[in-house]
Amino acid sequence: MNSQSICTLCNRNENEDLIHLLLYCPIYGPIREHYLSELNINENNINELLITKSKYHLNKLYFYITELLKLRSFIVNE
């Protein structure tokens, strides 16, 4: 991943940065829905999630990122 590169997994023609991965890339939509939907994150409050001390929120974020990276690795190496 390179935040200056265009995401090669979707057709949104956006940089593959943290905001894109956490909020917008449609490839990760089902995983995002499963782990992050109840957290109601958006561009305005994403920093709160990233600095939270809530174990519950950190676990949700951890599992989302873990599953995202597994899926990305599978697609890229396919």
Side-chain angles (χ1 to χ4, degrees):
M1 284 185 268
N2 179 346
S3 65
Q4 301 303 309
S5 296
I6 299 296
C7 179
T8 58
L9 302 182
C10 74
N11 61 359
R12 291 181 59 117
N13 202 33
E14 296 178 353
N15 285 348
E16 190 177 37
D17 60 13
L18 186 61
I19 299 295
H20 179 71
L21 295 176
L22 290 178
L23 301 178
Y24 299 119
C25 188
I27 298 299
Y28 309 122
I31 301 169
R32 184 181 306 113
E33 179 68 25
H34 180 78
Y35 290 106
L36 302 181
S37 64
E38 66 186 72
L39 303 182
N40 297 314
I41 61 170
N42 57 52
E43 284 189 49
N44 297 321
N45 67 8
I46 195 166
N47 287 337
E48 294 172 28
L49 176 64
L50 298 175
I51 63 171
T52 187
K53 293 181 181 174
S54 163
K55 187 175 182 178
Y56 179 76
H57 290 164
L58 289 173
N59 278 337
K60 290 284 193 177
L61 183 60
Y62 169 79
F63 287 113
Y64 172 67
I65 292 172
T66 300
E67 293 301 314
L68 173 153
L69 291 174
K70 285 180 192 175
L71 178 59
R72 186 181 190 287
S73 177
F74 176 78
I75 292 170
V76 168
N77 294 317
E78 184 68 8

